[in-house]
Amino acid sequence: MLAALLCCALAPAAGMAAGVLKLSHAEIWLRGDGRTSRLYAENAGDTTLYLDVEQRLLRNPGEQPEELTPIGEVRNPTLLVAPVRLALAPGQRAPITLKELARPDSPQVWRVTFRPREKLLMEPDPTQAMAAPLVVSIGYGVLIYQVPTP
């Protein structure tokens, strides 16, 4: 959320347009009872937003550093998140599919990260000495907790 506010604060000052991502949830619980929260991605900005969506299994919840395994390397994944790429026009809202493939034997935590394909580039003032421009790439995350059926 802070990152979205940062983009909004910087965009008018720099005179540039930007896509601003809003997600309907920061975390979702899948308990196997048939009730699933819907996850939506929305572009609250004024230009098209292109996103890469990355799903990873969090192997050591609550510990630092996190051990994240990409979905492609998980043997028998129990959850699939789609799509992996998304384009949102200004004001557009799109559902993100959460498909449970199986119930896990033990609780699992999935981290889904939404990364805008464009980067915010801060050009240095030519009158000031600076080694290189600053590039900021912001990712927005959702945690999905998948618990076994009792």
Side-chain angles (χ1 to χ4, degrees):
M1 185 58 136
L2 177 62
L5 293 174
L6 175 64
C7 283
C8 290
L10 291 176
M16 57 193 258
V20 178
L21 177 63
K22 284 176 54 179
L23 297 170
S24 61
H25 293 84
E27 58 182 40
I28 293 176
W29 287 84
L30 302 175
R31 293 184 170 89
D33 55 7
R35 296 183 334 203
T36 303
S37 297
R38 301 283 299 172
L39 178 60
Y40 291 93
E42 181 179 352
N43 182 357
D46 54 6
T47 62
T48 302
L49 187 59
Y50 299 93
L51 300 167
D52 288 324
V53 182
E54 181 179 35
Q55 178 186 356
R56 296 175 294 167
L57 180 62
L58 180 56
R59 299 258 184 213
N60 60 341
E63 297 180 23
Q64 290 295 330
E66 291 182 337
E67 291 178 27
L68 296 165
T69 304
I71 184 72
E73 297 174 15
V74 175
R75 200 175 170 111
N76 301 319
T78 57
L79 180 71
L80 183 62
V81 176
V84 295
R85 287 208 172 132
L86 188 59
L88 296 170
Q92 184 179 9
R93 182 178 185 212
I96 306 301
T97 302
L98 307 175
K99 178 65 178 167
E100 285 193 89
L101 303 174
R103 298 300 312 156
D105 295 330
S106 60
Q108 291 188 343
V109 180
W110 297 89
R111 181 177 295 282
V112 180
T113 306
F114 296 79
R115 293 192 196 283
R117 298 200 86 195
E118 55 192 25
K119 294 178 172 58
L120 180 61
L121 177 62
M122 310 282 283
E123 290 289 339
D125 183 348
T127 61
Q128 297 178 354
M130 187 177 209
L134 174 66
V135 177
V136 180
S137 179
I138 301 168
Y140 304 81
V142 175
L143 286 176
I144 300 174
Y145 301 95
Q146 192 179 24
V147 296
T149 313

